[in-house]
Amino acid sequence: MRLPTFLRPHWRSPQRALGHQRSPWTSLWRQPVSMAMRMPWPVFFLAMTLIYLAEVLLFALAFQLDSRHLEADGVMGVPDSGIFALQNLFSASFQTARVSSPYTLGLAAGQRIVGILTTAMVTGLFFLRFTQVDSPLRFSRQLCLSSWPGGHLSCRFVTADPSYWLKVTYAMVLFLDEEIEPGLWQRRVHPLPLLNAATPQLHLTAVLSHPLTPESPLVQLGLEAIARASGALMVLVEGTDEVTGSALLQVHHYRMEDIRESRTFADLVSIDSRGRRLVDIEALDRTVPIG
């Protein structure tokens, strides 16, 4: 019985969402820095502008509570409290303002501190956005299983910019959700050793293969047990940025139903009329039957 046919009756809804490899920024409300990094540039500029406007409005309302001790020359009908809030936040020379109460003086000092921290935060976010290295790897949609057992389970990826990553290591792991008690689930992680676990530099294309030996967790556990436990596979590629020296990591998830039995990946490299070797990115997901 072929693997996809075998898994279909045993497959149930997974315990985790695996379809999207990068969470959209709109779902990262609990991770504001990550959300800011993934915003489109127009939305990012708008968000930073709204932060400043919200601070001006908040402090303008606070100054308005003691407006009789605040004197400033209004502009275009804007209240003295709004003018002073703008002046104090951006150090803009609209007009000279005079304060005559401890409340207003303390509030003005607090606004300056908040303004300095806000400017530092916005500057840092801009720096991170300009210096971040986007994940350049594109993984195949399927895993190829040459034979069961005794064969290999393989995935592959391509990249349009291999110069970023040095001292690259690869890993493949199996996740299983086990119900240790009624209603209580525990996730177990089983490493899957690879034939090629490291390279000095990221290649333009690479195939990562796990041998299905008797020691393999896939062989020891069995496909039926893995399917019942909502088994999933994760591929990790780690390296070092050659310019900044910072750590780089990209992951990709596969469901068990993504495995294609008795198939292998088609060749990505072709030769043109001039004898040059070319990599066909569009053939990344193309597979062919074995034998």
Side-chain angles (χ1 to χ4, degrees), residues 27-223:
S27 66
L28 297 175
W29 298 105
R30 297 183 179 180
Q31 304 176 48
V33 175
S34 298
M35 182 174 63
M37 292 297 99
R38 297 185 186 178
M39 285 180 178
W41 275 107
V43 179
F44 178 77
F45 279 116
L46 178 61
M48 298 302 104
T49 303
L50 290 177
I51 289 176
Y52 279 113
L53 291 179
E55 288 187 11
V56 171
L57 179 60
L58 178 63
F59 280 96
L61 294 175
F63 285 127
Q64 188 65 28
L65 297 177
D66 192 30
S67 60
R68 60 191 180 89
H69 291 104
L70 175 65
E71 297 180 11
D73 296 330
V75 177
M76 296 182 295
V78 179
D80 292 349
S81 58
I83 292 298
F84 185 67
L86 281 169
Q87 178 184 7
N88 200 44
L89 181 62
F90 298 108
S91 298
S93 299
F94 290 99
Q95 294 291 338
T96 302
R98 295 174 296 277
V99 297
S100 57
S101 73
Y103 168 80
T104 305
L105 182 61
L107 190 61
Q111 187 188 16
R112 292 305 301 271
I113 295 174
V114 172
I116 292 173
L117 294 177
T118 302
T119 301
M121 178 197 71
V122 173
T123 302
L125 291 177
F126 268 95
F127 177 78
L128 288 175
R129 285 186 68 101
F130 278 116
T131 58
Q132 68 176 343
V133 178
D134 195 17
S135 302
L137 308 186
R138 176 182 165 188
F139 287 84
S140 59
R141 295 179 181 177
Q142 296 88 26
L143 293 160
C144 285
L145 194 155
S146 58
S147 61
W148 180 268
H152 296 84
L153 182 68
S154 304
C155 75
R156 70 178 176 184
F157 64 82
V158 296
T159 176
D161 191 354
S163 61
Y164 279 130
W165 302 51
L166 299 176
K167 300 178 181 179
V168 187
T169 58
Y170 311 98
M172 184 182 295
V173 294
L174 171 67
F175 288 90
L176 295 177
D177 287 339
E178 298 181 3
E179 191 173 16
I180 56 179
E181 295 181 10
L184 180 61
W185 293 83
Q186 183 177 20
R187 181 170 299 174
R188 297 186 181 274
V189 180
H190 300 271
L192 303 178
L194 298 174
L195 293 178
N196 46 341
T199 54
Q201 185 176 3
L202 189 70
H203 295 306
L204 183 63
T205 177
V207 177
L208 308 178
S209 298
H210 166 66
L212 298 175
T213 61
E215 293 76 23
S216 169
L218 293 175
V219 177
Q220 293 180 350
L221 296 171
L223 295 181

Side-chain angles (χ1 to χ4, degrees), residues 7-15 177 185 227-230:
L7 287 177
R8 211 169 283 124
H10 296 278
W11 186 259
R12 58 186 176 89
S13 299
Q15 301 298 318
D177 287 339
W185 293 83
R228 286 197 303 266
S230 298

